[in-house]
Amino acid sequence: MAPPINPGEIPYVTPQGGCPPADPDALAASATVIAAAAGTVRDNGQDAVVAWSAITSCYKGPGDNQIYEALLPVGPQTDALANALEQVGAALSDFADEIRPITAELANLKTQAEQLAFDISNFTPYVSHDPHLWAYLAGLPIGAAEQLIGVQIETWDQDQ
């Protein structure tokens, strides 16, 4: 007899390896936060470029060209980082959308598996008076099976 399913091993809806179950809503919220962070990075980078650009017209001193040259990559690099964050946010949002129906179905299957485990652990042998079951178990036509008195169901895996 095969062992029943372990509902605790159903992925995405059960903590696995110390990780919480997948939560599409939390993933979508995180994607929104990442997208907002991308905008903040881009805005702050541009603000820094504008602020330092104003200084270049009025500050002249030792090493001024080195300072200005060091600031040149700030705008493009913060923009590139913001673009990368937007891509991460979009990918995370897409992933949340893709797993939403999967996790819903797995949660449903987990509920069914828990019910099956409960039914198995609480199974009590009984006599079935269902002629369809008799026919199935005895390999008889339904009419012939109706003549039987009953079928003893001894174990949970005999119970349809």
Side-chain angles (χ1 to χ4, degrees):
M1 173 176 8
I5 190 169
N6 179 353
E9 291 180 3
I10 295 176
Y12 289 104
V13 294
T14 304
Q16 299 283 318
C19 296
D23 181 351
D25 293 333
L27 291 171
S30 295
T32 301
V33 168
I34 291 171
T40 301
V41 166
R42 181 176 284 113
D43 291 346
N44 288 344
Q46 294 307 316
D47 290 348
V49 168
V50 169
W52 279 96
S53 296
I55 294 174
T56 60
S57 64
C58 61
Y59 175 73
K60 302 292 181 207
D64 58 354
N65 285 335
Q66 291 172 330
I67 292 171
Y68 303 143
E69 287 176 16
L71 294 172
L72 287 177
V74 169
Q77 287 181 354
T78 55
D79 196 45
L81 176 58
N83 289 340
L85 287 171
E86 287 169 344
Q87 289 177 342
V88 168
L92 189 57
S93 179
D94 290 347
F95 178 70
D97 290 342
E98 287 181 24
I99 70 165
R100 189 175 311 281
I102 295 168
T103 55
E105 181 60 24
L106 286 170
N108 180 40
L109 291 173
K110 182 178 180 187
T111 300
Q112 291 177 32
E114 289 169 341
Q115 183 63 49
L116 176 63
F118 176 81
D119 292 346
I120 289 169
S121 67
N122 292 295
F123 179 79
T124 304
Y126 67 97
V127 175
S128 171
H129 296 285
D130 179 355
H132 292 88
L133 180 61
W134 300 341
Y136 171 76
L137 293 176
L140 299 171
I142 291 179
E146 290 173 346
Q147 297 171 8
L148 298 174
I149 297 172
V151 175
Q152 180 70 29
I153 306 299
E154 295 289 338
T155 61
W156 69 268
D157 59 337
Q158 294 175 332
D159 188 352
Q160 293 204 358

